[in-house]
Amino acid sequence: MKLAFDCRYTRIGRHDGISRYTAGVVTELAKRPELELTMLISDERQLAMLPELPWVKISGPTSVREPLVALQVNRLHPDAVITPMQTMGTLGRRYPLALTVHDLIYYSNPEPPRELPGFVRVLWRLYHKAWWPQRMLLNGADAVVTVSETTRALIDAHHLTKRPVVVARNAADLPAPDEASAAATAAETRSQARSVLYMGSFMPYKNVETLVRAVGELPGYTLHLLSKASEGDKARLTAVDPDARLVFHDGVSDEEYHRLLQEATALVTASLDEGFGIPLVESMGYGTPVVVSDIAVFREIGGEAALFAPATDAAAFARRIRSLEEAEEWRRRSLASRRQAEGFSWAESARALAELATGLPGRSARR
């Protein structure tokens, strides 16, 4: 069957979450013999971040032409289209379509990403003031994809769609097993490294302040903040606890990120809400334990391998981190983390999407 995958959310130069999801599942979908796959892009520079596959260039997802983008896609005569977002225009479409919902965070945390154009930020805020625009979009497709059982449960709880909902989870490119095994054998060193990593943005719902307070209660520990931070973010977080030892990396390469994971005591995050948590899978893949807020999606991802603390309880975070100073406890968590990470695979997510795609032509919501 002819499947078109919307790759227009692929970032240029470095992946973010949705971009990495796109590249991960498209790479695996391309290996499936039953599919004739075409990538939809909006900038030829995106091809450097994607596998070598047939592609077609159409208008960008933030273009004023987006509501009518289906008129461009119709010319390809696809048997099905899958997009990694829920905002792809559907007016005039003549093909079966699956939209993707990664999370529902911005209904409770409406601050839009700063990199979006001004008019999109305004529309973003308006869109997240009520549930009906989401319902209208999702019911305009033939099926809905999401990346976690937690988000699927929220979609059901808020009655956001009458369409079938399929889970195709996020994953990560795991290191070779011998690398993870080597990490476990270094338990004595790693448990005493007193280095914890945070990978993520500094938006309010990420609750990084709790991590700063936790490290302030742990003499000798350093909190490495890996993502790019504004001067305002740095000043704000430094003021939370002047005694906390913070290192702002202002962005790291994949190579540096993986090196830091292999040296750290733990990866930490205190998010109040998430749709998934790729850094957890990445860290566990290297056998590095995770200490995370006790929210439903982190329970789903971390399972019994993770250490959990109430999201705003800095003292509880400090206690969980300190427990990893015991080398045997660190080793046990390391081995459990690797086993847990192996349950997340782009190949398995691609299998779920391929099964969905082959069934889409029979859906009755087709326009």
Side-chain angles (χ1 to χ4, degrees):
M1 72 174 299
K2 294 171 62 177
L3 174 64
F5 200 99
D6 184 1
C7 297
R8 297 175 300 153
Y9 296 90
T10 304
R11 287 187 66 182
I12 297 165
R14 180 173 175 80
H15 287 307
D16 62 5
I18 293 174
S19 176
R20 193 177 298 277
Y21 181 84
T22 298
V25 295
V26 167
T27 298
E28 293 298 325
L29 284 169
K31 299 175 183 178
R32 303 191 67 89
E34 72 271 26
L35 301 178
E36 180 185 329
L37 189 60
T38 298
M39 302 185 300
L40 306 178
I41 65 166
S42 54
D43 188 317
E44 291 184 29
R45 292 175 294 173
Q46 293 170 325
L47 296 172
M49 309 298 292
L50 295 165
E52 291 188 15
L53 291 170
W55 55 273
V56 173
K57 185 177 177 181
I58 59 175
S59 57
T62 59
S63 165
V64 294
R65 301 170 65 189
E66 184 62 13
L68 294 172
V69 72
L71 301 182
Q72 300 172 60
V73 180
N74 284 341
R75 299 171 194 157
L76 306 178
H77 305 289
D79 295 317
V81 175
I82 297 177
T83 175
M85 282 287 282
Q86 71 269 51
T87 52
M88 186 180 196
T90 60
L91 293 176
R93 71 177 173 96
R94 297 197 300 271
Y95 49 83
L97 173 67
L99 301 175
T100 302
V101 177
H102 285 262
D103 57 62
L104 300 173
I105 289 171
Y106 294 105
Y107 288 93
S108 53
N109 302 276
E111 178 67 25
R114 298 186 182 101
E115 67 271 14
L116 293 177
F119 79 95
V120 177
R121 288 168 61 87
V122 171
L123 292 174
W124 179 288
R125 287 184 178 277
L126 292 173
Y127 177 83
H128 289 102
K129 283 184 175 293
W131 291 108
W132 67 263
Q134 184 86 267
R135 292 191 183 102
M136 183 177 68
L137 285 180
L138 298 186
N139 286 326
D142 300 289
V144 174
V145 177
T146 192
V147 297
S148 69
E149 294 291 347
T150 301
T151 300
R152 176 157 69 176
L154 289 171
I155 290 171
D156 289 343
H158 292 289
H159 308 290
L160 295 185
T161 185
K162 300 174 183 177
R163 309 301 178 221
V165 180
V166 173
V167 175
R169 300 198 297 184
N170 268 309
D173 299 320
L174 300 184
D178 57 342
E179 293 182 65
S181 298
T185 61
E188 190 69 42
T189 301
R190 298 283 294 282
S191 63
Q192 297 303 312
R194 303 199 173 196
S195 169
V196 293
L197 309 182
Y198 169 71
M199 171 59 86
S201 75
F202 301 96
M203 295 180 73
Y205 74 89
K206 295 290 189 177
N207 188 33
V208 181
E209 292 83 354
T210 292
L211 301 179
V212 175
R213 294 188 185 98
V215 170
E217 297 189 22
L218 295 168
Y221 276 80
T222 300
L223 173 60
H224 293 266
L225 301 144
L226 305 184
S227 300
K228 188 172 181 58
S230 69
E231 292 304 314
D233 290 329
K234 293 176 185 178
R236 174 174 55 83
L237 292 172
T238 301
V240 168
D241 187 338
D243 294 328
R245 186 183 298 175
L246 309 179
V247 175
F248 292 92
H249 288 255
D250 280 324
V252 292
S253 66
D254 286 344
E255 292 75 18
E256 185 178 2
Y257 177 36
H258 296 158
R259 177 184 62 78
L260 290 167
L261 282 175
Q262 293 176 81
E263 297 173 354
T265 301
L267 179 132
V268 294
T269 181
S271 293
L272 303 173
D273 195 4
E274 287 288 351
F276 198 74
I278 291 178
L280 275 67
V281 181
E282 293 169 331
S283 181
M284 293 189 299
Y286 276 99
T288 300
V290 297
V291 181
V292 298
S293 47
D294 194 354
I295 59 176
V297 73
F298 287 171
R299 286 280 178 181
E300 179 182 341
I301 297 168
E304 295 183 0
L307 286 162
F308 297 96
T312 58
D313 190 338
F317 267 90
R319 289 194 298 272
R320 304 295 185 271
I321 295 168
R322 191 177 288 117
S323 72
L324 294 170
E325 292 177 5
E326 294 291 333
E328 189 52 42
E329 172 67 0
W330 193 96
R331 187 192 316 276
R332 186 176 73 82
R333 293 285 175 182
S334 174
L335 293 171
S337 294
R338 175 66 189 195
R339 289 193 298 269
Q340 183 71 12
E342 288 172 351
F344 299 86
S345 131
W346 293 125
E348 178 59 24
S349 296
R351 182 201 60 76
L353 292 176
E355 289 184 0
L356 171 65
T358 55
L360 276 177
R363 298 291 178 195
S364 61
R366 185 172 177 176
R367 296 294 183 265

